[in-house]
Amino acid sequence: MLSDAKIRAAKPRDKAYKLTDSHRLYLLVKPNGSKLWKWNYVYDGKQKTMAFGIYPMVSLVNARAKRDDARALLDEGKDPSVVKKLRIEANLEAARNTFERIAREWHENAKSQWARIHADDILRSLERDVFPAIGSLPISELTPPKILEVLKPVEDRGAIETAKRLRQRISAVFIHAIAKGIAEKDPAEKLGAVLKPLRKGRQPAITDLGRLRQMIDDAEQDYARPITRLALRLLALTAVRPSELRGAYWEEFEDLNGEEPLWRIPATRMKGDLDRKSEIGGEHLVPLAPQAIDVLRALWPLTGSGSLVFPSNRHGHRPMSENAIGYLLNRAGYHGHHVPHGFRAAFSTIMNEWAERHGKKHDRKVIDLMLAHIPKEKVEGAYNRAAYLDRRRELAEIWASLLTETLPSPVALIQRPTKATGQFSRRRIPTEAPTGFQFPQLDRHISPSR
């Protein structure tokens, strides 16, 4: 049996020699003075030798522990040398499988399901906020506290929603790694509970005219029901609340064939208190630009036989889903950038800026009326709902011209794909409105109880 004293006293000789310990462990003393731990064993009838390291880096106690671990593997029918090599390879592979490498692999694999702008946004967010901190670390060694170290700086700069989206994306990368056998668990899974809750406030909206046009065009090119695309276009043109658009009835539209077309939204469907909803004449008046009439003209062959302008796909007597337009914007890559309600902020911002340069004295007040904002004074509110109607029509037409300058005709939206597979609408509607088209009389629709 060896001891530390015997090992330290061992001097080099002209030839290498062994100092033996128990169970075939020995120390090989070489002529240059180095001392190497070795262990002999038999596996599958063959004599084999395994190295345990250099003394004193590996002490006598550690060498015996390595020998005992190897003997335990041998008892299980495993070759300790092979197991050691596999562990080394696994460690090397784990080091190669950094978070950034796996994240880019996940992104490349998943990006076909996203719009290009959304895919680019996801990768940029990882490159900006995640890769610098943990990108070079093996993904299998990352822990919840380490992931939280990535998310907290994003949260601390006020980007709470971004931090939550980053956590979801990091979690998706780990799910990909788990499926490939690269990681065993998702350390980001439970971190959503410790991040700050989202503050309620202004909803995200694109208020730059060029970006707004691009967003509408991107969404209209994505797969959707033709009715959903046309609903998006009319929502952008009128800047009404999404709930008011979804619940629109054909009977609410007046003079569609004339020179002063109007959408009269009943007070009962408007946002406001019970007093507002019970007022006589408390409806919201929406002058319609020619571009909005074009949307209704494209819609008429699709839904004109019913009462609702935008019926549900499954139940014609119910309005379309409240999420339909939002999902369309998300699929087009604008999640977190613009929501259906955001068209009101876009209209307000862009038209108020336009009014600063080209407008008339009361245009700011008129724009506010067009958004159906309720003044504090009830008398003023009752008066203003019908005020400045001619100017409201002029501003509606200016807004429509600015917004649709680069957009296709609404009728062209009908023939675009309705599903991600590229399936097209079965309705064969001309891509141009028929010459001399006239809306039928709309008073034939019976007003439903609501």
Side-chain angles (χ1 to χ4, degrees):
M1 296 281 290
L2 287 175
S3 66
D4 283 322
K6 286 183 180 180
I7 295 172
R8 287 194 298 270
K11 303 299 181 183
R13 301 175 184 173
D14 292 340
K15 293 183 179 180
Y17 65 96
K18 300 177 182 179
L19 297 176
T20 60
D21 194 59
S22 59
H23 301 291
R24 306 184 75 179
L25 175 68
Y26 64 91
L27 188 71
L28 181 65
V29 183
K30 302 187 76 173
N32 62 4
S34 63
K35 300 171 182 179
L36 310 178
W37 290 110
K38 301 277 188 175
W39 177 62
N40 289 332
Y41 67 100
V42 177
Y43 183 79
D44 194 22
K46 298 178 181 178
Q47 182 74 30
K48 307 189 78 172
T49 300
M50 191 173 181
F52 288 155
I54 302 172
Y55 181 88
M57 292 177 62
V58 178
S59 68
L60 174 61
V61 173
N62 288 340
R64 286 171 176 169
K66 288 176 178 286
R67 175 203 61 196
D68 292 343
D69 290 343
R71 291 180 67 200
L73 291 172
L74 201 58
D75 289 343
E76 294 175 3
K78 299 176 182 179
D79 186 340
S81 293
V82 173
V83 171
K84 180 181 179 180
K85 289 179 181 178
L86 291 175
R87 285 174 179 169
I88 292 172
E89 283 298 321
N91 290 336
L92 289 172
E93 186 62 22
R96 297 187 192 108
N97 287 326
T98 63
F99 181 86
E100 180 173 350
R101 176 184 174 184
I102 304 306
R104 290 187 182 277
E105 182 181 287
W106 162 77
H107 182 268
E108 183 66 28
N109 184 63
K111 70 179 184 181
S112 62
Q113 65 185 296
W114 305 314
R116 180 182 56 80
I117 189 172
H118 184 51
D120 292 345
D121 181 64
I122 289 174
L123 187 58
R124 277 197 302 271
S125 70
L126 294 173
E127 291 173 339
R128 180 185 62 243
D129 296 318
V130 181
F131 293 165
I134 61 171
S136 62
L137 300 179
I139 192 170
S140 59
E141 296 182 12
L142 292 173
T143 61
K146 195 65 181 177
I147 302 299
L148 192 59
E149 287 179 13
V150 175
L151 300 176
K152 290 302 285 183
V154 179
E155 188 180 69
D156 290 344
R157 70 175 187 242
I160 297 174
E161 186 174 356
T162 299
K164 290 185 177 294
R165 286 201 303 270
L166 276 178
R167 188 211 64 77
Q168 293 171 347
R169 291 164 186 173
I170 291 171
S171 190
V173 173
F174 273 100
I175 291 171
H176 177 79
I178 291 169
K180 295 195 67 177
I182 298 168
E184 295 182 357
K185 55 187 177 181
D186 173 15
E189 181 182 9
K190 305 296 184 182
L191 294 182
V194 300
L195 293 175
K196 294 178 182 177
L198 285 172
R199 294 188 299 270
K200 292 185 178 180
R202 296 185 65 182
Q203 302 193 58
I206 293 174
T207 56
D208 173 79
L209 181 58
R211 289 186 61 214
L212 188 67
R213 287 175 183 152
Q214 184 62 55
M215 184 270 293
I216 294 172
D217 190 46
D218 288 341
E220 290 177 348
Q221 291 190 51
D222 212 310
Y223 63 93
R225 294 172 62 213
I227 293 172
T228 306
R229 289 196 191 95
L230 294 168
L232 174 70
R233 180 72 71 91
L234 191 61
L235 185 66
L237 286 166
T238 59
V240 298
R241 295 180 178 90
S243 60
E244 294 158 7
L245 179 100
R246 289 176 49 245
Y249 289 88
W250 280 108
E251 65 173 10
E252 296 172 359
F253 294 89
E254 304 172 5
D255 198 26
L256 293 184
N257 296 317
E259 295 182 358
E260 297 182 348
L262 188 73
W263 180 8
R264 189 183 298 269
I265 304 176
T268 52
R269 295 208 303 107
M270 295 296 297
K271 178 181 177 181
D273 56 24
L274 293 176
D275 289 342
R276 167 70 184 266
K277 292 179 182 295
S278 63
E279 284 178 0
I280 297 174
E283 68 271 0
H284 176 42
L285 306 180
V286 184
L288 298 172
Q291 293 88 340
I293 298 299
D294 288 342
V295 174
L296 295 173
R297 186 175 289 116
L299 273 165
W300 181 261
L302 304 180
T303 69
S305 60
S307 296
L308 286 164
V309 181
F310 300 104
S312 164
N313 189 34
R314 295 183 178 180
H315 307 286
H317 62 287
R318 297 179 185 175
M320 67 188 296
S321 166
E322 62 181 342
N323 298 317
I325 299 176
Y327 287 159
L328 176 57
L329 293 173
N330 291 348
R331 287 196 303 272
Y334 291 89
H335 176 75
H337 296 275
H338 194 91
V339 295
H341 197 85
F343 286 113
R344 293 171 61 77
F347 169 78
S348 178
T349 301
I350 295 170
M351 288 306 293
N352 272 302
E353 290 176 354
W354 179 91
E356 286 268 344
R357 299 188 298 271
H358 312 289
K360 297 181 180 180
K361 180 179 179 181
H362 297 295
D363 277 354
R364 284 187 174 276
K365 183 184 293 186
V366 174
I367 290 167
D368 225 31
L369 286 172
M370 295 173 75
L371 291 167
H373 289 159
I374 303 174
K376 294 180 180 179
E377 296 294 333
K378 288 284 184 177
V379 174
E380 181 188 355
Y383 169 75
N384 276 341
R385 278 195 295 277
Y388 302 104
L389 198 56
D390 289 342
R391 185 57 177 166
R392 286 157 71 176
R393 187 175 300 281
E394 291 173 359
L395 291 180
E397 293 179 1
I398 290 168
W399 166 246
S401 296
L402 289 172
L403 188 69
T404 62
E405 182 178 320
T406 59
L407 298 178
S409 165
V411 189
L413 306 181
I414 297 174
Q415 297 301 336
R416 289 181 174 175
T418 60
K419 295 183 179 180
T421 56
Q423 180 177 335
F424 288 81
S425 171
R426 293 180 181 178
R427 297 178 182 267
R428 308 312 297 177
I429 308 296
T431 56
E432 294 184 1
T435 304
F437 175 87
Q438 295 286 303
F439 285 95
Q441 292 296 321
L442 300 181
D443 56 4
R444 63 183 177 82
H445 292 296
I446 300 174
S447 177
S449 59
R450 55 187 189 273

